[in-house]
């Protein structure tokens, strides 16, 4: 009875691994060694692949394919000089072997010599019978040099040669997206679907393009076809749920998200979206349950903690909101979105020192929005920390020069510290920038606003402008 190809490979592997355990030396033909090495490389077993190559070359020292596999391993291990030297030896023996050019391109790519790698792959293309792989490699090299148009064209040729190469299709869509050619992407996908009407990946990608154009009706149709093509396609159900949310069909959206929970391990994204839908429907208990499942499923997903914190914040339950944002900060203390909420919640609770800490941490983590500087300043004023408030605003002026909201605050603060000349300088500047904002002085510094000299200055400016 003759063995199938897969059975032969399995038999060869069993014999090879038995040989390693017993130290017996068994004979394998060169093709068997090649298959063994390929198997180990594909499964990430590099040490065993090296042993197989070494034993293979000891039995078949003239095998070009085994030597090329040795080159592949050397490249993987970043031993590029050794790999290049061995390739040169092989090239002297076989100038028309496309694998030599492919490996040369691989080495050049690792050395960031992508244009030279492209030239090598073009030579390989003229020799190979497997054009799809070479076109794919060319596409990747063009991506490295950010030539997205040429990358796209090569991935398209790869897909023409092998219409089941979905990684090429994803790369084509990446290029279309980067080049902002949404309509071109739609035309291409429709053309591809004319030839492959049951390609769930193409329908899925088409739906995403329509979603980006806010054409939700066509997006929904595309995702439905993706599901018809493969009713286990989780990504299509998730995307369909997002479309249904946009259309306000929250119950249907929930149904689609729940299907994904049954098809595979639950995802935090699905729980989060279910929670959002329930919240829109006014089902607060179910929304809260889903948000808790979100953070349980993935404690590192900041959107989950933010959703549950905002849920309680909107209800005015600031203590509960603070409890959850503290839990979030304990998990990730570098997340600026957490600290902004921490500051806002503590401010609502009149815990001013904690609120100030939250805004300060937000700034330290790179959140330089004007509102953050202003809120921190106003809290420092309430705390009587006038000098710290000035330093905060002076830093803010580096990002927001000539801003009335800052100038009036600086004016009031300098007056409070009896630095009258600086106070008038900033008051004059504020009046020139936006007269109406003088109300900041009245609200934040009522004792300063009550001064006759300050009122006269404001009135004089108003008269000169009218």
């Amino acid at each position: 009875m003759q063995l199938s190809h897969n059975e032969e490979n399995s038999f060869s592997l069993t014999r090879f691994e038995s040989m390693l355990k017993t130290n017996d030396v068994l004979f394998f033909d060169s093709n068997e060694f090649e298959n063994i090495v390929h198997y180990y490389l594909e499964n990430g077993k590099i040490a065993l692949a090296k042993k197989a190559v070494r034993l293979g070359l000891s039995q078949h020292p003239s095998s070009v394919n085994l030597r090329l596999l040795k080159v592949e391993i050397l490249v993987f291990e970043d031993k590029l000089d050794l790999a290049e030297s061995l390739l040169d030896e092989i090239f002297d023996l076989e100038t028309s072997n496309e694998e030599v050019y492919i490996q040369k391109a691989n080495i050049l790519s690792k050395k960031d010599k992508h244009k030279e790698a492209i030239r090598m792959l073009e030579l390989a293309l003229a020799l190979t019978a497997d054009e799809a792989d070479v076109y794919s490699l060319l596409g990747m090299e063009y991506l490295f040099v950010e030539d997205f148009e040429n990358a796209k064209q090569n991935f398209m040729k790869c897909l023409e040669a092998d219409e089941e190469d979905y990684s090429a299709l994803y790369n084509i869509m990446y290029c279309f997206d980067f080049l902002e050619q949404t309509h071109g992407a739609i035309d291409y996908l429709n053309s591809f679907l004319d030839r492959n009407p049951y390609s769930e990946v193409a329908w899925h990608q088409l739906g995403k393009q329509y979603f980006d154009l806010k054409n939700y009706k066509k997006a929904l149709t595309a995702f439905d076809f993706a599901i018809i093509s493969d009713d286990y396609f989780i990504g299509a159900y998730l995307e369909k749920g997002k479309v249904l949310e946009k259309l306000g069909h929250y119950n249907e959206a929930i149904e689609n998200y729940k299907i994904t929970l049954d098809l595979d391990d639950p995802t935090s994204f699905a729980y989060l979206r279910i929670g959002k839908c329930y919240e829109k429907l006014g089902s607060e208990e179910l929304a809260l349950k889903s948000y808790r499942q979100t953070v349980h499923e993935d404690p590192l997903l900041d959107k989950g903690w933010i959703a549950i914190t905002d849920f309680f914040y909107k209800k005015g339950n600031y203590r509960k909101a603070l409890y959850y944002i503290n839990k979030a900060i304990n998990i990730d203390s570098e997340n600026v979105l957490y600290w902004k909420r921490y500051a806002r919640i503590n401010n609502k609770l009149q815990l001013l020192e904690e609120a100030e800490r939250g805004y300060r941490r937000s700034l330290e983590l790179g959140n330089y929005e004007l509102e953050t500087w202003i809120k921190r300043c106003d809290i420092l004023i309430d705390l009587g920390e006038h000098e710290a408030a000035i330093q905060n605003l002076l830093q803010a002026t580096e990002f927001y020069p000539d801003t009335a909201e800052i100038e009036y605050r600086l004016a009031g603060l300098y007056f409070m510290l009896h630095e009258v000349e600086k106070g008038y300088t900033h008051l004059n500047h504020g009046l020139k920038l936006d007269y109406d904002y003088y109300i900041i002085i009245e609200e934040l510094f009522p004792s300063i606003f009550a001064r006759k000299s300050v009122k006269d200055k404001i009135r004089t400016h108003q008269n000169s402008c009218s």
Side-chain angles (χ1 to χ4, degrees), residues 106-253:
N106 199 2
I107 291 167
L108 289 164
S109 183
K110 284 240 177 184
K111 291 182 174 180
D112 288 330
K113 296 179 179 179
H114 300 294
K115 289 184 178 176
E116 291 177 47
I118 288 167
R119 282 197 290 274
M120 284 294 156
L121 289 170
E122 284 169 347
L123 292 171
L125 195 59
L127 299 168
T128 189
D130 188 3
E131 291 185 339
D133 278 352
V134 180
Y135 279 127
S136 178
L137 291 168
L138 274 164
M140 292 307 299
E141 292 304 315
Y142 278 114
L143 281 183
F144 285 131
V145 295
E146 297 186 348
D147 183 345
F148 295 96
E149 193 58 53
N150 269 317
K152 183 178 71 177
Q153 295 304 322
N154 278 281
F155 286 126
M156 284 177 174
K157 288 174 183 173
C158 171
L159 198 59
E160 282 172 28
D162 180 4
E163 291 197 323
E164 292 185 3
D165 188 342
Y166 287 135
S167 64
L169 182 57
Y170 284 123
N171 282 323
I172 292 164
M173 289 303 105
Y174 173 78
C175 293
F176 272 123
D177 287 345
F178 191 91
L179 294 165
E180 297 180 352
Q181 297 173 342
T182 306
H183 292 288
I186 288 170
D187 290 342
Y188 178 80
L189 286 166
N190 277 319
S191 172
F192 181 81
L193 284 162
D194 285 341
R195 302 188 305 277
N196 303 273
Y198 294 102
S199 170
E200 71 279 7
V201 174
W203 282 116
H204 179 247
Q205 290 298 311
L206 183 62
K208 289 177 75 173
Q209 297 298 322
Y210 282 128
F211 184 88
D212 289 344
L213 290 175
K214 296 183 171 57
N215 191 334
Y216 300 127
K217 188 177 178 183
K218 285 190 175 180
L220 200 58
T221 301
F223 293 132
D224 277 334
F225 276 118
I227 290 165
I228 289 166
S229 303
D230 178 3
D231 58 2
Y232 287 88
F233 191 0
I234 289 172
Y237 288 108
L238 290 173
E239 296 293 341
K240 185 180 174 183
K242 285 166 61 178
V243 176
L244 289 164
E245 276 192 71
K246 290 289 185 184
L247 293 169
H249 301 161
Y250 301 114
N251 283 313
E252 289 179 63

Side-chain angles (χ1 to χ4, degrees), residues 293-307:
Q293 286 171 312
T294 303
V295 296
H296 174 76
E297 197 65 41
D298 183 3
L300 297 177
L301 180 71
D302 59 1
K303 288 180 181 176
W305 291 108
I306 287 166

